[in-house]
Structures are given as C-alpha cells and as structure tokens.
Amino acid sequence: GDTAQSQKQRQRTKPPEALVTTPESLSVLLSYADGGKLFRNLEAVVVDEWHELMGNKRGVQLELCLARLTALRPGVPVWGLSATLANLDEARDVHEEILAVQGDAATPDDLVSAAEAMILLVDGYVSPEAESRIAVALRDAPTHQIGRYYAGLAMAQTGQYGIALNLWRGLLDEGPDDAPWRAAIEAQIGDLARAAGEGEVQEAPGPTREQMQDAQELAPEDRREMIEGMVARLEDRLATEGGGPEEWARLINAYGVLGRPQDAARIWSDAARAFAEAPQVVDRLREIAAGAGVDVTAQ
C-alpha cells in the first residue's frame, strides 16, 4: 500500500530481485494476464510472521496465492518465518500448511522440517507418520543429512541398532563440524554402540556356523530339533526387539539349511524392509537369501 502506482507498473515490466508484498497485492499481481510471466523465474517464497495469517481470511488468500505460485514454479521452496511462535504445536501446524499448499511439489527440506516439528513436539519420538515423511524425503534426496539423522533415530528407537549406528557414523565422518545434528549424535552414539553389542561379548540366540556343524553329529531327529529351537528363538527376538544385519542373515541362512525356502523368503522380505534405507546391507542380504534358495528377483 505504500508503493507508488508508477513503481508498481515498473515492477510488472522489470521484476525486482526481491519483491516485498502482501497477500492482497500478490493476489492482484497474479490476476493479471501476464502474471505467470512475472513469476516465471521465481526462486523462493518467504512468508514473514506466518502465525498472524493462520486461521483468518488473509491466510486463506495467501494459501490461494501460494497454490498458484507453486503451480507456476513446481518445487519452489516456501519458508514460513515467525520470531514470536509461542509453541511447538503452532510450528507443526505451520509446516502442515506449507505441505498442504505445496502438495506433490513439496521438497525434501519441507518434508524433513515437517517431520522434525512432529518429533520435537513429542520429545524426540519418531512417530510412524514422521518416519514416513522422512522416508519420502530420502527417496528423493538420499544424502539429506538431517533426514538421515532422524532416520537413524527412528531405527534406534525400533531396535535396529546396528544399521542406526552405521548411519550415524557415516554422518559424523561427512561433517561438517558445526552440523546441527552432530552434538545430538555424539551424545547418543556411545549408548547406541553398546546396544548394538560393541564392546561386549553377546551370545546371539540363533544358530552360528559352528553350532550348525556340531548339530551334524547328532541323530537326524535330534539335529533338526536343536536347529529349529535356535532358529525359533532368533526369529522371536528379531520380531520383538529387532537386530543387526548379521542376525537377519543368520536366520535366512538357517531356514535354507532346514530346507524351508518359503520361510527364508519371508525373512528376506522382512529384512529388506527393515534395512530399506541401507542399500548395501540389502544387497548383502539378497546374496545370502539367494544362497538359501530364495527367488530374490521377486523382491
């Protein structure tokens, strides 16, 4: 409202590097026949004091404008700023509004930021909904560092300690030293390493190669009973507590030795889902499954 009409006309013929406007003025600009041309090189949208626009008519008007802009420039980042945001509930709502406006054009940054708001709201718990947002972000941007940090946190919370540990160690190796997730990883990685079994001797509740060889010396019925008992304990543990790649591999191989390829295939499928964010682990497990008689081409 403070910009002279003559300057507004010049802005339409020669767009500025940065345009400071209001929802009302933006609606007018987008209503012109050449509105699409005016914003064809749009690189970003920043909405200041977003919380003041939530739940009122100006907010609705802004959302309509953003929908138009994201249609003109798919994938354009939209940032909501609010220095006076009172609580995390509002932060989550702001991110949800941004995702609603962008739809399929939401960027990995948008998805991870929305997931982060959900996680912080519940004191660091990665809910299935937050985890699904992170998974979509990493599908499109596999190297996204903050997304990988929260993916590791989700795995640690579901008992996938070994893969979470490898993921976080990779992040620490990449840096940078001032990364926002570094302090959080450094504070937790010691406990995670212990949970993964590093630094202590743990007897896995499943058949090792040596145990399988020892079983060959037993009578056939006793041998099968021994192996099946160890296999059942291992599968029960993986189903309830999770485990590292080596334990999943052991279980797949054990079912192959027992001549139960359907069970080996079922465990291979579960393992592939459990380690979906770690392609190298999945590739190794695929080799083991193939050796156990599983048709891995179907996965």
Side-chain angles (χ1 to χ4, degrees):
D2 297 331
T3 306
Q5 191 63 34
S6 58
Q7 186 176 350
K8 290 183 178 180
Q9 290 297 326
R10 287 196 299 273
Q11 288 176 345
R12 288 184 58 194
T13 57
K14 188 178 180 181
E17 290 290 326
L19 175 64
V20 179
T21 186
T22 64
E24 294 81 8
S25 296
L26 181 58
S27 294
V28 173
L29 288 173
L30 288 169
S31 69
Y32 293 134
D34 60 349
K37 181 180 179 181
L38 179 62
F39 294 101
R40 64 185 176 185
N41 296 317
L42 182 66
E43 295 183 0
V45 179
V46 180
V47 182
D48 194 21
E49 299 298 336
W50 184 292
H51 68 284
E52 292 188 357
L53 300 171
M54 293 171 59
N56 57 47
K57 292 181 179 179
R58 297 188 73 214
V60 173
Q61 188 174 30
L62 173 63
E63 290 186 14
L64 292 173
C65 291
L66 291 177
R68 173 65 173 152
L69 290 174
T70 54
L72 292 171
R73 290 282 290 168
V76 66
V78 179
W79 296 315
L81 305 181
S82 180
T84 57
L85 199 60
N87 56 60
L88 293 173
D89 290 282
E90 282 189 290
R92 179 198 57 198
D93 293 342
V94 166
H95 285 296
E96 291 302 317
E97 287 199 20
I98 291 174
L99 292 183
V101 167
Q102 292 197 308
D104 293 338
T107 66
D109 282 340
D110 295 327
L111 291 163
V112 171
S113 294
E116 184 174 48
M118 297 168 65
I119 294 166
L120 295 176
L121 184 62
V122 288
D123 299 323
Y125 169 65
V126 185
S127 67
E129 184 178 2
E131 189 174 3
S132 67
R133 295 264 170 89
I134 292 167
V136 173
L138 291 177
R139 181 195 64 196
D140 297 332
T143 61
H144 196 289
Q145 290 188 327
I146 297 178
R148 286 157 63 201
Y149 163 69
Y150 283 119
L153 183 61
M155 292 175 187
Q157 291 175 354
T158 55
Q160 301 176 60
Y161 305 124
I163 189 63
L165 185 62
N166 290 335
L167 187 58
W168 278 3
R169 281 177 173 164
L171 283 171
L172 290 176
D173 289 342
E174 288 177 22
D177 292 339
D178 60 349
W181 38 260
R182 177 172 288 274
I185 289 181
E186 290 176 343
Q188 301 174 76
I189 199 164
D191 290 337
L192 183 59
R194 284 187 289 275
E198 292 192 1
E200 58 187 59
V201 178
Q202 294 185 342
E203 182 179 353
T208 63
R209 183 182 300 273
E210 291 76 12
Q211 290 171 325
M212 297 287 279
Q213 291 174 346
D214 291 342
Q216 299 302 318
E217 301 176 1
L218 300 174
E221 292 183 1
D222 293 337
R223 179 170 62 243
R224 188 173 188 87
E225 182 179 355
M226 173 187 171
I227 295 175
E228 287 187 342
M230 290 186 292
V231 168
R233 289 193 295 274
L234 176 56
E235 181 171 356
D236 182 66
R237 180 179 180 277
L238 291 179
T240 57
E241 301 177 19
E246 68 286 346
E247 292 176 304
W248 286 92
R250 186 180 301 172
L251 183 58
I252 293 169
N253 184 63
Y255 275 131
V257 171
L258 289 171
R260 293 163 59 178
Q262 291 183 335
D263 287 317
R266 173 174 55 82
I267 298 303
W268 148 241
S269 181
D270 290 344
R273 286 194 295 270
F275 297 103
E277 302 299 334
Q280 292 180 339
V281 173
V282 173
D283 288 344
R284 177 57 183 148
L285 291 173
R286 181 182 291 108
E287 294 176 3
I288 293 170
V294 177
D295 179 10
V296 295
T297 61
Q299 179 68 35

